[in-house]
Amino acid sequence: MPSPDEATTSSTPSTFKSLGLIDPLLEALDQMGYKAPTEIQSESLPYALEGRDIIGVASTGSGKTAAFALPILQKLWDEPKGLFACVLAPTRELAYQISQQFESLGSAMGVRCAVIVGGMDMPAQSIALAKRPHIVVATPGRLIDHLENTKGFSLRGIKFLVLDEADRLLDMDFGPIIDKILKLIPKERTTYLYSATMTSKVAKLQRASLSNPVRVEVSSKYQTVSTLLQYYLLMPLKDKDAYLVYLANSLAQNSIIIFTRTVNDAARLSIILRTLGFPAVPLHGKLSQSQRLGALGKFKSGGRRVLVATDVASRGLDIPAVDIVINFDIPTHSKDYIHRVGRTARAGRAGKSITLVTQYDVELIQRIEKVIGKKMDLWPTDTEEIALLKERVNEAGRVAVNELKEQVTKGGNLNRKRGREEIGGGRDDRDRDDDVVEAGMPVRNKRSKKAGRR
């Protein structure tokens, strides 16, 4: 296959109207507060509106979703026929977000979307598919389940296929499933592949799925945006929780995402923060889908100002107006750091990131500084105030440990009961277990909020 054409950057600032979008889409963009196209939108939309396949390489927060949604909706306006496009996304939360973006941009044309992801009811999804949505947004595993098992559902008539966050799709070993899906959709289609990086796996997928594409690249290396102020905070490992609470206290008026490496730390820290009076909510892969969506909804609406999350929230999610990102644990890979801090300072806004650095993390932080090409500044602290916090934080930590033990015991009893009642619970049953504290419930002490009341 010939190499993709390279898009050239125009020096003239573009507007959505000058790019050739129709009035219903211009009205929706205006209502959503989009004043001017981002770089990836300016570069890709002219080719997409001509009907070309697109390879889009752009950093997180660059406006990729609108870059592929707008040309699909414009073509749908001309040909309003049944199931029109399929979008593959690596995570459930990103799938829901893409669907919301399509419905908002396509509000004037009554666009109908179906979200097909794991952890949700298969029969209800089958009913949604039977209603002939225009756009299906799906995670690959659940989509192939429906293609193989849901009577009457197929993708044989689609005009567009989108592979969003393609590098992460392949990192999560969806490659063989995507190969199956590609065999079940028409060869005559338009394909958009968007990725933060062009790995060898993504290049192989590009060759298999695209025809004579245009390559639009607006970030050739990993980098952070200029509006992001990046800080580090040096501390002994044993005082890490106290330093985090100090930050939460001194930044209490801001919306904050705290990233942890493990599910247990996300659950533990959310309980510690709520015990000490901070409106914190957890987000990680062990929560049921309804709990995950509920946590995101509360944080987005401002009902909870602190989100404690694993890397399930680091890629793709557009959470408006995040003021601060705190890395409780330094990610092992520099690219994960860039995706995390990309949750703030989005769309030209300012933002701050603060990374907690223990005596064991110095090499990791130096590696990240080398990749991003800049030195982080030291975040100022009041050591006396931190010393005064330690006793209260340690007590809250004991509350969290007891709380989590209680939930594990309850979860084990629940699993044993299910094992007696039915054989082969599988992944969906585990998703429904309430094995982590539910989003947003304050914890007063060890005994006041038992798992059964949550």
Side-chain angles (χ1 to χ4, degrees):
M1 190 190 87
S3 61
D5 297 342
E6 296 283 348
T8 54
T9 304
S10 167
S11 59
T12 307
S14 57
T15 64
F16 284 115
K17 188 168 186 178
S18 71
L19 292 173
L21 293 175
I22 56 176
D23 287 341
L25 294 178
L26 294 174
E27 290 167 16
L29 287 162
D30 189 53
Q31 288 172 2
M32 295 169 71
Y34 291 175
K35 303 302 181 189
T38 65
E39 190 177 356
I40 188 68
Q41 292 161 5
S42 294
E43 296 301 318
S44 64
L45 280 170
Y47 295 102
L49 293 171
E50 287 174 9
R52 295 289 298 274
D53 283 9
I54 303 287
I55 302 166
V57 183
S59 58
T60 185
S62 59
K64 289 181 283 185
T65 305
F68 62 71
L70 288 166
I72 290 172
L73 291 169
Q74 181 134 326
K75 189 68 174 174
L76 179 62
W77 180 265
D78 296 332
E79 301 176 25
K81 299 174 184 173
L83 182 52
F84 197 73
C86 176
V87 183
L88 296 181
T91 67
R92 304 169 186 180
E93 286 74 24
L94 182 55
Y96 279 101
Q97 182 178 291
I98 292 168
S99 172
Q100 290 164 2
Q101 188 99 329
F102 264 101
E103 289 177 346
S104 297
L105 290 169
S107 56
M109 56 183 78
V111 165
R112 298 187 310 277
C113 293
V115 180
I116 305 301
V117 297
M120 304 298 279
D121 185 52
M122 282 275 289
Q125 291 177 348
S126 299
I127 292 168
L129 291 171
K131 292 179 179 176
R132 309 245 325 144
H134 300 109
I135 316 290
V136 167
V137 188
T139 49
R142 181 52 64 94
L143 182 65
I144 200 71
D145 283 348
H146 280 285
L147 285 169
E148 292 175 346
N149 301 307
T150 298
K151 190 175 180 181
F153 171 61
S154 80
L155 296 175
R156 286 193 294 270
I158 64 165
K159 304 293 183 185
F160 287 87
L161 173 69
V162 181
L163 301 158
D164 192 23
E165 299 278 5
D167 50 351
R168 193 168 181 205
L169 279 169
L170 296 171
D171 283 346
M172 295 169 72
D173 295 326
F174 282 130
I177 298 174
I178 293 171
D179 290 341
K180 279 187 181 181
I181 292 168
L182 290 174
K183 292 174 183 174
L184 299 173
I185 60 177
K187 285 186 169 57
E188 295 297 317
R189 63 172 192 272
T190 303
T191 305
Y192 302 145
L193 183 153
Y194 279 86
S195 184
T197 57
M198 279 303 293
T199 64
S200 57
K201 286 182 180 179
V202 175
K204 184 178 177 183
L205 178 61
Q206 163 213 315
R207 291 192 293 272
S209 60
L210 282 81
S211 172
N212 190 27
V214 177
R215 176 168 171 155
V216 180
E217 186 164 357
V218 299
S219 60
S220 57
K221 66 184 181 69
Y222 282 118
Q223 56 192 21
T224 52
V225 296
S226 59
T227 53
L228 174 68
L229 301 176
Q230 300 174 72
Y231 299 89
Y232 72 95
L233 189 48
L234 198 59
M235 76 214 61
L237 178 62
K238 64 184 176 64
D239 295 335
K240 203 172 182 184
D241 290 356
Y243 273 79
L244 179 71
V245 171
Y246 168 80
L247 285 176
N249 198 40
S250 59
L251 299 167
Q253 300 309 308
N254 296 273
S255 62
I256 303 169
I257 299 182
I258 299 166
F259 280 107
T260 69
R261 187 176 295 126
T262 67
V263 167
N264 185 69
D265 269 344
R268 185 181 65 83
L269 291 173
S270 66
I271 297 171
I272 288 173
L273 289 167
R274 288 203 305 273
T275 301
L276 297 172
F278 297 98
V281 63
L283 177 65
H284 52 71
K286 293 290 186 181
L287 292 170
S288 69
Q289 189 60 35
S290 59
Q291 286 174 316
R292 287 160 73 171
L293 292 174
L296 264 181
K298 286 174 182 173
F299 185 69
K300 282 185 174 184
S301 68
R304 297 289 183 273
R305 297 191 69 81
V306 181
L307 184 71
V308 189
T310 59
D311 281 313
V312 73
S314 70
R315 292 277 298 256
L317 296 185
D318 184 17
I319 304 171
V322 176
D323 302 314
I324 313 281
V325 167
I326 297 174
N327 288 303
F328 181 78
D329 297 307
I330 300 183
T332 309
H333 300 292
S334 300
K335 70 176 183 179
D336 293 328
Y337 170 86
I338 291 165
H339 289 307
R340 286 181 179 187
V341 300
R343 299 307 96 211
T344 186
R346 294 171 76 82
R349 292 188 291 266
K352 296 184 180 76
S353 69
I354 306 167
T355 299
L356 305 193
V357 182
T358 73
Q359 64 269 37
Y360 306 108
D361 301 323
V362 175
E363 186 181 340
L364 282 173
I365 201 75
Q366 290 172 339
R367 191 187 306 165
I368 289 169
E369 287 178 330
K370 186 176 180 182
V371 169
I372 63 176
K374 62 176 72 172
K375 290 282 185 183
M376 299 182 202
D377 296 319
L378 179 65
W379 184 267
T381 54
D382 184 332
T383 51
E384 288 184 10
E385 187 176 335
I386 292 167
L388 291 171
L389 280 171
K390 286 182 187 178
E391 187 176 340
R392 289 179 60 215
V393 171
N394 289 338
E395 174 58 27
R398 288 189 285 272
V399 170
V401 169
N402 289 337
E403 182 95 10
L404 291 171
K405 281 181 181 175
E406 191 176 89
Q407 290 159 13
V408 168
T409 302
K410 181 198 169 194
N413 291 338
L414 186 61
N415 283 335
R416 282 192 290 275
K417 182 180 177 184
R418 282 183 178 148
R420 288 193 299 270
E421 290 176 352
E422 58 180 274
I423 296 172
R427 182 169 50 189
D428 284 346
D429 278 342
R430 290 199 299 276
D431 282 345
R432 285 194 294 270
D433 284 349
D434 297 322
D435 58 351
V436 179
V437 67
E438 186 170 338
M441 295 297 293
V443 179
R444 306 273 179 216
N445 55 54
K446 297 178 192 177
R447 306 180 63 84
S448 64
K449 294 288 182 182
K450 296 219 174 201
R453 292 178 61 186
R454 288 189 301 278

